[in-house]
Amino acid sequence: MKFVKILFLFLSLSLTAQQGGMWIPSLLEGMNEQEMQSLGSKLTAQDIYDVNNSSLKDAIAHFGGGCTSEVISPKGLLLTNHHCGFGQIQSHSSLENDYLKDGFWAMSFEEELPNPGLYAEFIVRIEDVTDKVLDGVIDAMTETEKQSKIDGNSNAIQKATQKEEWQDTRIKAFYKGNQYFLFVTERYEDVRLVGAPPSSIGKFGSDTDNWVWPRHTGDFSIFRIYADKDNRPAKYSEDNVPFTPKHFLPVSLDGIEEGDFTMVFGFPGSTDEYLPAVAVEQITQKVNPSNIAIREAALKVMDEYMKSDDKIRIQYASKQARIANYWKKWIGENQGIEKSNAIANKRTLEKEFQQKLKEKELESSYGSLLTDFDKLYAEFEPVNVKRSNFLEVFLRNNELMGAMFRLYQMEQAAGRGEETFKRAQESVQGRMKSAFKDYNVNVDKGIFKAIMPMYTDKVDASIYDKTNFSSEEKTAQILEGNSKEVIKKINKDAAYKYAKPFIEEFYTKLEPEFQRINTEINAVQKKYMKALMEVVPDQRYFPDANSTLRVTYGKVKGYKPKDGMYYKPVTYLDGVMEKYVPGDYEFDVPQKLQDLYKAKDYGQYADANGKLPICFLGTNHTTGGNSGSPAIDANGNLIGLNFDRVWEGTMSDYNYDPEICRNIMVDLRYVLFIIDKYAGANRLIEEMHLVHPKK
Ligand code: ARG
Ligand code: GLU
């Protein structure tokens, strides 16, 4: 009996130990702390998050709002992914100085390149403000009334929050609006580019290897935060100085082996782990397939032009990578959902939920939630699919239509007065001007022809020959003047005339319908979340990702992608050479790296087996936004840089399965090796604090 009990305890511990989750850093004490320690961590909850002393969280910064980065030196050196710094690396590139192709290394502080618009944001502290946010919100209110009460309360809380004048506050909903947290933040706006490997290292394997294991990508780039003389956030200025962080991560030279504890600390963007089956079905069977088809058609056009023209290759590199990324992710997601039987499994759980409601006599409160979902999602489907396709066609894949969309918004702004119009006008002028640097009308017209028929049967590509918006000068002329003049001019343009009815339909029909039903769905989802926690309390519930700072942890571990196959969790430089295809745009290897490989000149960065490690896998539960997040060892040292997930596991945004979901990290020793041996940027290595925790 005793034996059975111990065995059971052991089993349940090892089961939960692999269940994933993205946890709030200020709430790790208790369950998470214990679980991390059972996985080998030596860290306390306070080592990770502390309001009064410096802690790991002080080294983690939201990078431009979409990625994560970490401070790795006392002089504000900031590490993130190559694909996160891609836009900046590209914008400093030209045919003469092709940093995308050749890499970039600032050999002194003076050579570090400013990036207008880029920021790094730290979390100063996190507070639970649920009671105050929900004060006075009652069931009898409509959803709109509830929201306006919540907004009012949130504003009042933010006003009353104690903070320094250079700090900001933000309130975010957790557990579908059942809980609210306040974040005090500090945003640094002078972030300069310090180093980037060539794309043949930083993007090695490109789209073929994206989302795929085994992986051999050195997906990193390096920036530096600058601050004013008092170490406070400041706009770019020559007088700014390198930022002194409250904490920076020491870098481990000892590497990892299978079974080692890992923790990933960053800003995951969004997940939806508590959706009903009917929602996952709609996403994977209706929304994803149509969006995949649109992107596939756009990519085909883009790829052909990029292969045949170097200028276009540079112009479209960033846009192509962005479009290809989720195109491939959705495909993997669909396959994973299908293979893991996620929809059927969710249905089974829903039956059990319904059964438990009966047992616990909670049917009167929660009994109709699942049928409410069914009704709402049925009504939602056509609107959701069409709106999603609209966004793909008009905003994400075709540039001319995207521009017309912004012009439409500018025209609407005129209705709110000349001042509002002026602001909109300036913003459109700025965006259009910078867009022309990377615009090729043939590419865009080809994409238009390929994707517009997937949205409507009213396709007219002749607008490309008639419009003035494919010329930078004419565009500038049209946008000059007061609202009356500008609006008159744009309404005469062929492209605008073509696009306007679609955009009008979006604003007057699609979007309001979408919002109306979505608000109702969210209300049911909020109740469902609460019900799940109440009715099935023995499950663990972590809040869905919402672009706030989270901790996820696990182990270095391989996986079985298919029957009869096992993937080891570590790759080596030998694998880069195995994949090498001379001259190939995805799998070329720089000569210098080949030479270092031949000479086995790995310095202090080789593994115990004499090989140079490149990437490794972990069971950390991550999502988009975790790119650039540090992988941290049991002692708080940096061992890796998160940049991807395995294809078979990209469904983890809806259905985390510990058997198959893995995150992919670059081994920090490869990063150091590239900086040191490949680029000779020793000054950066010297700034860092290299440690040997295992010795
Ligand atoms: N899949 C990774 C992420 O979601 C990397 C994307 C960048 N790489 C690329 N080939 N597009 O961001
Ligand atoms: N590459 C992703 C990002 O940019 C991370 C991979 C993922 O989605 O897990 O955040």
Side-chain angles (χ1 to χ4, degrees):
M1 194 60 209
K2 202 168 174 199
F3 172 71
V4 172
K5 214 170 179 181
I6 289 172
L7 186 74
F8 179 74
L9 243 174
F10 179 73
L11 264 179
S12 61
L13 195 73
S14 62
L15 266 179
T16 52
Q18 296 181 26
Q19 282 195 347
M22 307 165 166
W23 307 96
I24 303 172
S26 52
L27 301 179
L28 299 174
E29 245 164 76
M31 192 276 282
N32 294 128
E33 190 182 46
Q34 279 164 25
E35 190 174 69
M36 285 199 249
Q37 290 173 355
S38 80
L39 288 165
S41 169
K42 304 278 188 298
L43 300 165
T44 64
Q46 267 192 7
D47 292 333
I48 299 169
Y49 176 93
D50 194 341
V51 222
N52 303 312
N53 303 291
S54 69
S55 54
L56 289 179
K57 76 134 171 57
D58 297 316
I60 319 297
H62 214 169
F63 186 81
C67 280
T68 305
S69 55
E70 51 279 353
V71 186
I72 55 169
S73 93
K75 292 180 193 153
L77 205 59
L78 197 65
L79 182 66
T80 189
N81 288 143
H82 186 262
H83 79 260
C84 295
F86 202 80
Q88 284 75 31
I89 303 166
Q90 187 215 11
S91 76
H92 293 294
S93 291
S94 58
L95 279 173
E96 304 76 56
N97 282 317
D98 192 345
Y99 301 143
L100 283 179
K101 188 149 175 275
D102 305 324
F104 168 78
W105 301 96
M107 289 303 176
S108 65
F109 288 106
E110 290 70 39
E111 285 176 24
E112 300 179 355
L113 301 171
N115 301 287
L118 180 62
Y119 64 84
E121 187 175 272
F122 295 93
I123 303 299
V124 179
R125 65 173 199 273
I126 307 172
E127 281 169 30
D128 188 339
V129 289
T130 311
D131 292 344
K132 286 189 222 158
V133 170
L134 294 179
D135 186 37
V137 178
I138 51 169
D139 280 347
M141 291 175 164
T142 65
E143 287 312 310
T144 325
E145 287 165 349
K146 285 182 190 165
Q147 196 53 51
S148 84
K149 185 83 197 155
I150 289 172
D151 292 343
N153 288 346
S154 299
N155 282 336
I157 297 166
Q158 282 175 281
K159 279 215 182 83
T161 300
Q162 292 235 355
K163 63 167 189 71
E164 306 292 346
E165 42 112 347
W166 64 87
Q167 298 174 336
D168 292 310
T169 57
R170 193 169 308 139
I171 290 177
K172 287 266 200 171
F174 288 69
Y175 293 106
K176 307 294 172 198
N178 287 291
Q179 223 174 341
Y180 285 84
F181 284 88
L182 167 96
F183 296 81
V184 177
T185 58
E186 240 167 43
R187 180 181 287 204
Y188 286 82
E189 294 181 303
D190 185 354
V191 180
R192 303 186 196 169
L193 178 63
V194 173
S199 291
S200 52
I201 291 172
K203 208 187 161 186
F204 182 74
S206 195
D207 292 319
T208 300
D209 271 10
N210 191 21
W211 301 109
V212 165
W213 186 260
R215 191 64 157 276
H216 299 86
T217 314
D219 195 345
F220 79 94
S221 61
I222 302 181
F223 289 77
R224 188 189 305 279
I225 302 176
Y226 282 75
D228 71 11
K229 292 209 173 61
D230 302 316
N231 204 36
R232 300 216 176 116
K235 293 244 178 280
Y236 169 79
S237 155
E238 263 183 50
D239 300 332
N240 287 348
V241 293
F243 165 68
T244 308
K246 284 193 221 127
H247 182 72
F248 64 91
L249 298 177
V251 183
S252 165
L253 279 172
D254 291 348
I256 45 88
E257 51 193 303
E258 182 141 29
D260 278 0
F261 171 80
T262 61
M263 168 180 133
V264 172
F265 206 174
F267 293 86
S270 125
T271 59
D272 251 317
E273 308 282 347
Y274 307 101
L275 289 178
V278 59
V280 178
E281 193 171 19
Q282 185 168 111
I283 292 165
T284 54
Q285 294 177 14
K286 299 290 180 265
V287 180
N288 281 355
S290 53
N291 287 349
I292 289 168
I294 292 167
R295 288 198 177 198
E296 196 153 310
L299 286 166
K300 211 174 143 215
V301 176
M302 219 181 262
D303 285 345
E304 244 150 59
Y305 279 100
M306 286 173 76
K307 271 184 199 152
S308 65
D309 185 326
D310 247 15
K311 185 169 174 220
I312 296 178
R313 177 183 59 76
I314 296 178
Q315 285 181 315
Y316 279 78
S318 198
K319 291 181 263 201
Q320 193 272 354
R322 190 181 48 74
I323 294 170
N325 192 32
Y326 264 59
W327 163 73
K328 193 164 179 183
K329 189 223 172 193
W330 291 326
I331 296 174
E333 187 170 276
N334 272 12
Q335 290 178 0
I337 292 285
E338 163 121 27
K339 214 176 147 196
S340 64
N341 267 323
I343 296 170
N345 291 343
K346 270 194 188 267
R347 288 235 154 83
T348 309
L349 289 176
E350 286 166 9
K351 278 211 186 92
E352 285 169 22
F353 169 79
Q354 211 63 26
Q355 185 57 34
K356 286 207 172 109
L357 285 182
K358 218 181 246 167
E359 287 161 21
K360 301 194 174 182
E361 292 179 14
L362 285 166
E363 276 183 305
S364 58
S365 334
Y366 301 131
S368 70
L369 291 176
L370 290 166
T371 46
D372 290 347
F373 272 137
D374 284 341
K375 262 184 263 154
L376 285 167
Y377 274 104
E379 194 189 348
F380 198 41
E381 184 173 304
V383 189
N384 189 21
V385 174
K386 190 164 182 199
R387 174 181 177 274
S388 187
N389 293 167
F390 175 88
L391 296 177
E392 284 300 312
V393 169
F394 281 79
L395 284 179
R396 306 209 177 105
N397 290 278
N398 186 262
E399 295 168 89
L400 184 59
M401 292 302 106
M404 296 309 104
F405 191 85
R406 283 188 286 280
L407 292 184
Y408 181 85
Q409 289 179 316
M410 183 183 74
E411 181 171 357
Q412 296 310 107
R416 282 170 264 131
E418 200 62 25
E419 262 315 295
T420 320
F421 173 79
K422 266 236 119 52
R423 255 178 283 132
Q425 179 184 31
E426 273 163 27
S427 138
V428 169
Q429 281 169 328
R431 271 194 84 151
M432 294 268 235
K433 193 170 154 56
S434 64
F436 272 109
K437 173 172 177 275
D438 291 330
Y439 186 67
N440 180 294
V441 64
N442 293 327
V443 178
D444 200 44
K445 184 177 175 182
I447 291 173
F448 180 94
K449 283 194 201 157
I451 66 175
M452 197 51 85
M454 303 169 105
Y455 185 73
T456 172
D457 46 20
K458 294 193 198 82
V459 184
D460 178 10
S462 78
I463 57 167
Y464 276 85
D465 309 323
K466 300 177 202 148
T467 183
N468 285 312
F469 293 116
S470 48
S471 144
E472 186 169 352
E473 291 98 71
K474 286 186 194 155
T475 300
Q477 281 165 17
I478 293 177
L479 291 177
E480 216 35 74
N482 63 31
S483 65
K484 234 186 166 158
E485 293 158 0
V486 175
I487 287 168
K488 196 168 162 202
K489 282 187 275 180
I490 62 177
N491 275 286
K492 277 194 192 143
D493 189 89
Y496 194 69
K497 277 199 247 174
Y498 172 81
K500 197 171 178 178
F502 295 108
I503 303 170
E504 242 153 22
E505 185 194 19
F506 171 77
Y507 271 116
T508 58
K509 285 208 192 106
L510 282 179
E511 188 60 9
E513 267 298 275
F514 176 89
Q515 292 305 345
R516 180 183 66 76
I517 308 170
N518 201 33
T519 305
E520 289 185 53
I521 288 177
N522 288 342
V524 179
Q525 186 74 51
K526 176 182 172 191
K527 238 181 168 177
Y528 184 52
M529 185 81 240
K530 182 162 173 272
L532 281 174
M533 293 166 101
E534 204 175 310
V535 180
V536 199
D538 41 343
Q539 262 287 339
R540 351 195 290 164
Y541 297 97
F542 57 90
D544 270 317
N546 59 357
S547 291
T548 61
L549 185 61
R550 301 294 179 90
V551 168
T552 171
Y553 48 84
K555 285 180 174 199
V556 176
K557 202 174 173 200
Y559 72 106
K560 297 188 184 114
K562 285 190 180 117
D563 184 37
M565 265 173 102
Y566 176 73
Y567 279 148
K568 291 189 200 169
V570 179
T571 59
Y572 296 99
L573 187 57
D574 309 64
V576 173
M577 295 312 298
E578 280 171 18
K579 286 180 178 172
Y580 171 42
V581 180
D584 184 72
Y585 80 106
E586 295 189 306
F587 292 102
D588 204 5
V589 176
Q591 187 60 46
K592 176 120 190 235
L593 188 57
Q594 295 184 43
D595 296 343
L596 289 163
Y597 173 71
K598 275 185 209 126
K600 301 281 172 285
D601 185 5
Y602 305 150
Q604 55 184 338
Y605 311 114
D607 211 349
N609 59 13
K611 300 205 268 186
L612 185 71
I614 307 289
C615 294
F616 64 100
L617 289 178
T619 59
N620 310 285
H621 186 178
T622 55
T623 187
N626 269 126
S627 273
S629 300
I632 293 171
D633 73 1
N635 300 299
N637 305 307
L638 186 63
I639 47 175
L641 184 58
N642 182 75
F643 72 101
D644 213 356
R645 277 173 287 169
V646 302
W647 215 36
E648 297 84 356
T650 49
M651 61 164 176
S652 65
D653 292 345
Y654 303 113
N655 179 45
Y656 181 81
D657 179 348
E659 280 301 310
I660 200 131
C661 294
R662 296 287 179 275
N663 69 312
I664 307 180
M665 297 155 277
V666 196
D667 194 305
L668 240 290
R669 289 169 297 173
Y670 187 44
V671 172
L672 295 176
F673 165 84
I674 294 295
I675 297 173
D676 182 347
K677 293 279 176 179
Y678 180 87
N682 307 55
R683 70 172 191 116
L684 303 178
I685 305 276
E686 278 156 23
E687 272 183 50
M688 300 176 203
H689 185 41
L690 306 184
V691 294
H692 280 291
K694 288 187 175 177
K695 287 186 184 138

